[in-house]
Amino acid sequence: QVQLVESGGGAAQAGGSLTLSCTASGRPHQINGVGWYRQIPGHQREQVALISDGGAISYAGAVNGRFTVSRDTGKKSVSLQMNRLRPDDTGVYYCYMVLQRTRATPASAYWGQGTQVTVSS
């Protein structure tokens, strides 16, 4: 059984930094795209940062220049370095991977359990 396990997050002051990490357990056969989404109170879940299967990176406009997403293919992990945090970054952050659980299964989306990020002014 493949699961995405998140770590990091927590509380920070405005202007500070936090790092989120996510690792796929259960030895997936192949991982394609990876990234992070977030759900801010009162809003729908939104894309924060993605790395495509081909390595292209995209960021939401609100975080571009402040957040950096990276992946470690060998460790089956993805990280999000968040700098210059703002109170409106507060929300629950979800790790996202498109992966094949086995050679015989099609690629599908998997989500982490979500981790709270709270930024105070």
Side-chain angles (χ1 to χ4, degrees), residues 36-65:
W36 294 89
Y37 283 70
R38 68 185 181 187
Q39 187 152 19
I40 295 172
H43 295 264
Q44 292 185 337
R45 190 176 297 188
E46 63 181 12
Q47 175 185 314
V48 175
L50 291 177
I51 305 177
S52 73
D53 188 26
I57 296 176
S58 61
Y59 294 98
V63 308
N64 196 24

Side-chain angles (χ1 to χ4, degrees), residues 2-16:
V2 173
Q3 290 184 321
L4 303 189
V5 181
E6 299 181 24
S7 61
Q13 296 277 345

Side-chain angles (χ1 to χ4, degrees), residues 64-84:
N64 196 24
R66 300 187 298 122
F67 291 9
T68 302
V69 63
S70 60
R71 70 184 296 176
D72 185 326
T73 302
K75 295 182 179 179
K76 298 179 172 51
S77 66
V78 58
S79 297
L80 185 68
Q81 175 66 42
M82 304 183 291
N83 297 327
R84 290 185 281 144

